[in-house]
Amino acid sequence: MPAVSKGDGMRGLAVFISDIRNCKSKEAEIKRINKELANIRSKFKGDKALDGYSKKKYVCKLLFIFLLGHDIDFGHMEAVNLLSSNKYTEKQIGYLFISVLVNSNSELIRLINNAIKNDLASRNPTFMCLALHCIANVGSREMGEAFAADIPRILVAGDSMDSVKQSAALCLLRLYKASPDLVPMGEWTARVVHLLNDQHMGVVTAAVSLITCLCKKNPDDFKTCISLAVSRLSRIVSSASTDLQDYTYYFVPAPWLSVKLLRLLQCYPPPEDAAVKGRLVESLETVLNKAQEPPKSKKVQHSNAKNAILFETISLIIHYDSEPNLLVRACNQLGQFLQHRETNLRYLALESMCTLASSEFSHEAVKTHIDTVINALKTERDVSVRQRAADLLYAMCDRSNAKQIVSEMLRYLETADYAIREEIVLKVAILAEKYAVDYSWYVDTILNLIRIAGDYVSEEVWYRVLQIVTNRDDVQGYAAKTVFEALQAPACHENMVKVGGYILGEFGNLIAGDPRSSPPVQFSLLHSKFHLCSVATRALLLSTYIKFINLFPETKATIQGVLRAGSQLRNADVELQQRAVEYLTLSSVASTDVLATVLEEMPPFPERESSILAKLKRKKGPGAASALDDGRRDASSSDINGAVEPTPSTVSTPSPSADLLGLRAAPPPAAAPAPASAGNLLVDVFSDGPAAQPSLGPTPEEAFLSELEPPAPESPMALLADPAPAADPGPEDIGPPVPEADELLNKFVCKNNGVLFENQLLQIGVKSEFRQNLGRMYLFYGNKTSVQFQNFLPTVVHPGDLQTQLAVQTKRVAAQVDGGAQVQQVLNIECLRDFLTPPLLSVRFRYGGAPQSLTLKLPVTINKFFQPTEMAAQDFFQRWKQLSLPLQEAQKIFKANHPMDAEVTKAKLLGFGSALLDNVDPNPENFVGAGIIQTKALQVGCLLRLEPNAQAQMYRLTLRTSKESVSRHLCELLAQQF
């Protein structure tokens, strides 16, 4: 930098600053500033031209006044004039003023751009650096458009000085972050990557920052940086502290550059080249080895620099998740920090070990530190460290240590900070459910949770225990006995009353044989809590009382007396009053048989993924709960939370009045958690065998007295979903469908469940059900890799006029999909008019830093809204003649593409949606069907006839509908199935 000449001291500025500091009051300061502003304004407007020094001095004063918090509305042109000066100090003050005060939309930008262009072309390194700094500081789009093409040229020019290259790289990074589309790398890519080999460490450091940002959008273009980054990292970590003297920080060679290189490598999967991978592993081992060496300095800066590189190295090892030896060594290294005297290091160690615990290679190594982590949970003074310790206990939990960890967390919960109690409750509930060796232990754990921290037990937790108790016959008696004993405590939390009311109302008869828990005793115990409860709990207890009348007729008179009491029949709350009146009338009017039918035991809940997971994910953030769905360690176990595909007996029967668009509270069933094998993520969910189908709503019997049944918790994705329809991108915003899209779509014309798409990264499965003009579809996205998907965004796109023909309401999914995990997306579909083209499903995400995208055709075709219609032969032929216009008939003769099997053909026609009519066609070999296409606008009647010719291996398909386009489209769809 040029030396400052003697006359650049700006004594007037120093005097002004001194006067401001000596002001005794705010008023005095404002008076002095206004006096100075008037003086500067008069100087700028005077006839006498100011020299460069005076301009610089006055502009500098204006800058100081602005930094004091006062508005400056003049002096900008004088600052621009300073840019044309050949003196460094004057040009520097001009650029400084512009960087701080000039708005990016200012009218002076063009003048400033001209001055910057002159400085960039001057080849004076000092002036070039000032200009580049100004571009980066202002960072406006107009400035980016003016210089985005010039800066890469300066960056890679052979005659550019190192300081200019550094400034150019950081300036380009700033412009790219502000306007990515303005930085066309293209021809410069290879030369920018080659800067990693530059001799000047400052240039390399700036280049790594730039490449790290650029490769996140275009990873393939910068893939060559991996080998160069590994080579540079290897040279740094193997060098002595004296080798890089200018870039050695407290005996640690180039710590900032090392950290940046390690972060750059985390944008890519492990190197494919064996030599590069070997060199990288060797470098990582060297870092781990150096961490074990005695410190070369006792200063905190030395340990900070070493630890920064170590933790970034461990992050890279975790990211790769492919080197068991390194993962175990990283775990052992972190274990040493768990008892370090520095609180920050203990925090970082616990946080990193949480991630290590989810790896199959290092999980066992993490478990060896369980005693230390439990001790940290008990003794740490910092609440954030205690919270990380609880997270680590949760992450390292499996069947071998579940009881120990749950008991320790329960013990800690009694004295835990209020800020983290709800999170601890959720984790205990999830672990107790996931690793329960017997259901009695699970019930005890949840009731203990309610007893210890009832205020923090959310609805999801006690809903879930009721769901599990209802579904498991072997635990119902124990649950009734346990909750009865818990209700006898003098102080009983309201959540305990809710659980007790529901369980005793359903299963109180299982303990009624004991005189100590006879029906009158049960009723008296529950009713003693009635006056202390909220309206919602009282409503549930009233439902329990009417259930008691069915279970225990001897309590009928007592309960009717309670219901008849004025406090109930004339209750100020409408809900309680209505229940009391209805239940009293029901118990008085209905016969015993009717009462038994109406008030029978609740049917089992459909098995679903625990909604407590969703609650925890919402508290922790989408990317912080990677272990929540990790089924890798207990793949063979049958978890309570529904890891096993439910049997048909546990699923409610759909009713014709089911609410397909989710207007009532009946939630969709969630997918089971991902099994162990990433390649077999969706096998159970999408089997076409007798597996349970989604329940679309309760039967009328189940819906009656639904207040007694706690709302079934939704799946995590449903709970996280935004009820409003997601905004779809236009067809022009997505790529074309994959080449096999039509073939994949044809597979689903006659079936609703199956795997829609699968490659080495992703598996997409579909489960759907349609009724009349409504449908609900569940899309299951399975991550088949061990690397987390980032920015995961599936969207449904309506090409052409489809938006007016088909309404698709989507629910959002989490933006991160952990390795080996699966997420579910719910689509609610309504057919408005007949349509010919299916909607498109666009899936975008980042894998290992690389953007991935694919477009599929969503398996929603017009025949999905087919309602089968039975009719006699006479009616069929009469209708067939009515649809005799040429445009109403579509016929196709085609060769069979599959073996001609009558049973298979029959199954396909039924799957297509039509009803098969027997004894209608004179030829028994032919197939005749009928149905109605249901849309919101109209109904389209449809008749079909399929004539197979086994000898010629040919088919003739004839369709007649009341609408020409529907006839042709259905004929094409069905013909492709044979």
Side-chain angles (χ1 to χ4, degrees), residues 239 535 541 597 776 886 929:
S239 64
V535 169
L541 288 177
T597 302
R776 175 173 280 155

Side-chain angles (χ1 to χ4, degrees), residues 31 78 89 93 113 171 258 327 381 501 550 553 726 738 766 779 855:
K31 184 177 179 181
E78 283 70 19
T89 54
I93 294 300
N113 286 352
C171 179
S258 300
L327 285 163
R381 288 178 295 177
N550 179 48
V738 296
V766 176
L779 295 176
T855 304

Side-chain angles (χ1 to χ4, degrees), residues 317-567:
I317 293 170
I318 294 171
H319 170 73
Y320 285 165
D321 195 21
S322 59
E323 297 293 330
N325 180 47
L326 288 178
L327 285 163
V328 173
R329 285 196 61 187
C331 179
N332 294 336
Q333 185 69 48
L334 291 171
Q336 298 178 15
F337 288 122
L338 292 180
Q339 295 177 308
H340 199 278
R341 59 187 178 85
E342 282 290 330
T343 304
N344 288 338
L345 285 179
R346 296 196 302 274
Y347 179 93
L348 290 171
L350 290 166
E351 188 175 48
S352 298
M353 288 185 80
C354 283
T355 313
L356 277 173
S358 63
S359 170
E360 58 185 334
F361 301 118
S362 53
H363 180 71
E364 292 300 322
V366 172
K367 283 167 59 179
T368 60
H369 301 284
I370 184 171
D371 293 333
T372 307
V373 180
I374 289 174
N375 185 59
L377 187 67
K378 295 177 179 177
T379 61
E380 276 289 349
R381 288 178 295 177
D382 192 305
V383 61
S384 61
V385 181
R386 292 198 298 274
Q387 189 167 359
R388 292 287 81 80
D391 290 343
L392 181 53
L393 283 176
Y394 175 83
M396 70 168 63
C397 187
D398 59 20
R399 290 206 181 280
S400 65
N401 56 20
K403 284 196 173 183
Q404 179 187 5
I405 289 177
V406 168
S407 65
E408 290 293 345
M409 293 179 100
L410 278 174
R411 194 173 295 118
Y412 169 65
L413 188 58
E414 297 185 14
T415 57
D417 302 84
Y418 294 110
I420 64 173
R421 281 196 177 188
E422 185 177 5
E423 187 179 323
I424 298 292
V425 166
L426 292 174
K427 288 179 174 175
V428 170
I430 292 170
L431 295 179
E433 178 182 340
K434 189 173 185 181
Y435 300 114
V437 290
D438 60 79
Y439 300 118
S440 58
W441 175 74
Y442 170 73
V443 171
D444 288 339
T445 301
I446 300 301
L447 295 183
N448 270 336
L449 268 183
I450 297 174
R451 179 182 57 81
I452 295 171
D455 289 340
Y456 300 91
V457 175
S458 62
E459 289 183 336
E460 287 86 355
V461 175
W462 66 268
Y463 284 1
R464 188 62 176 162
V465 71
L466 296 182
Q467 180 182 345
I468 289 172
V469 170
T470 302
N471 287 6
R472 313 289 173 178
D473 296 340
D474 55 340
V475 77
Q476 290 166 357
Y478 180 82
K481 177 176 177 292
T482 307
V483 79
F484 177 79
E485 294 171 352
L487 287 171
Q488 292 176 330
C492 189
H493 195 274
E494 188 168 337
N495 282 338
M496 186 72 78
V497 178
K498 292 177 181 177
V499 174
Y502 183 92
I503 291 179
L504 292 179
E506 292 292 323
F507 314 113
N509 59 309
L510 300 178
I511 60 171
D514 189 335
R516 293 171 296 179
S517 56
S518 62
V521 174
Q522 290 185 40
F523 172 75
S524 299
L525 181 60
L526 283 175
H527 197 55
S528 66
K529 315 289 182 184
F530 187 89
H531 65 287
L532 300 172
C533 297
S534 65
V535 169
T537 306
R538 291 185 190 183
L540 188 146
L541 288 177
L542 288 178
S543 297
T544 301
Y545 296 167
I546 190 67
K547 284 271 187 172
F548 271 13
I549 292 179
N550 179 48
L551 290 176
F552 315 120
E554 64 269 30
T555 62
K556 181 174 181 178
T558 306
I559 293 174
Q560 284 182 334
V562 171
L563 296 175
R564 196 176 286 115
S567 59

